[in-house]
Amino acid sequence: GFLMQTSEMLRKICIRNLVRKYCRGLTAERKVQLQQKVVTSAVFSGKKEGYLESLSQPFLETRLKENDLNPKVLQLIRGENIKYVTPVIKYDRNGFKARERLLVLTQSSAYVVEMAKIKQKIEYSTLKGISTSNLSDGIVVIHVPEDNKQKGDVILQCEHIFETVTKLCILANKQSVVKVVKGSLRFRVGSGKEGTMVFTVGPEPQVFKDKTGQLTVV
């Protein structure tokens, strides 16, 4: 019995040392990757299509560099540490017209940017929720409070959905507000009105306004 106890203790010490050695050998970049992927797993594992395929794809630090942004935009958000920039498609809340935009994530806020203009600013402290579907689309809805500052929730299509949502919920420290929904979701249009988005499966990916006025994501 004593020998077995000693053997078990030695085994645990050996494993602990191996883990310590592995962790010490990790580069800072690799450590960040692992930390981010742990969050992605907690949010999406077993819930959203494409998650398993995303495991082998390392997250980039950013999709666009700070100097890819218009100098006017940089001036407007100066003093805030820019952490991540990615091209997105933004869908208007009313007519659902698709518009090319940039999503800029700083230390404290998310910005939807059009060329030299900031179209919307969402402070992380006010962020109410982040919704995606359980299908393989890249749609994310950022839910904001109903106040005069905000025009309504933000509907975006992201090419790197797992990366973008992970960066957003880590920076905002709002992992718990991410929802992966089935079928449909509600979003706020502004001035007390709500809209509906429907997620469905079809032969080719598309996003359009259907006859009933809903945004349909195939």
Side-chain angles (χ1 to χ4, degrees), residues 35 45-46 53 56 66 69 72 74 76 84 90 110 113 151 153 162 166 172 179 182 196 203 217:
Q35 285 165 342
S45 181
E53 291 79 355
S56 60
E66 197 170 308
L69 292 170
K72 280 187 185 172
L74 284 174
L76 288 166
Y84 180 76
K90 178 190 171 285
V113 170
K151 308 167 187 173
D153 295 341
F162 297 102
T166 299
K179 285 193 173 71
K182 287 182 186 177
T196 305
V217 181

Side-chain angles (χ1 to χ4, degrees), residues 80-81 105-111 121-125 171:
E80 284 187 50
N81 196 349
L105 303 181
T106 72
Q107 195 64 53
S108 60
S109 304
Y111 292 88
K121 175 185 179 178
I122 303 142
E123 288 174 18
Y124 298 143
S125 57
L171 285 165

Side-chain angles (χ1 to χ4, degrees), residues 89-99 139 141 153-157 185 187-189 194-198 207-217:
I89 301 292
K90 178 190 171 285
Y91 291 93
D92 287 350
R93 283 165 285 262
N94 286 307
F96 302 129
K97 191 168 169 51
R99 301 184 188 277
I139 294 283
V141 177
D153 295 341
V154 186
I155 306 164
L156 302 175
Q157 189 169 21
L185 73 83
F187 57 89
R188 211 171 55 73
V189 178
E194 276 198 329
T196 305
M197 190 181 306
V198 179
V207 181
F208 62 93
K209 185 178 180 178
D210 70 11
K211 287 173 190 161
T212 63
Q214 296 181 132
L215 184 65
T216 304
V217 181

Side-chain angles (χ1 to χ4, degrees), residues 103-137:
L103 177 66
V104 179
L105 303 181
T106 72
Q107 195 64 53
S108 60
S109 304
Y111 292 88
V112 178
V113 170
E114 175 202 1
M115 299 296 283
K117 286 185 205 154
I118 288 173
K119 300 297 282 185
Q120 194 162 355
K121 175 185 179 178
I122 303 142
E123 288 174 18
Y124 298 143
S125 57
T126 68
L127 196 154
K128 282 174 67 181
I130 301 163
S131 298
T132 71
S133 87
N134 65 320
L135 301 176
S136 59
D137 59 88

Side-chain angles (χ1 to χ4, degrees), residues 5-19:
Q5 274 182 311
T6 309
S7 167
E8 182 60 17
M9 275 171 66
L10 286 171
R11 195 180 70 84
K12 282 181 178 169
I13 290 166
C14 180
I15 287 170
R16 202 178 299 142
N17 285 339
L18 284 170
V19 168

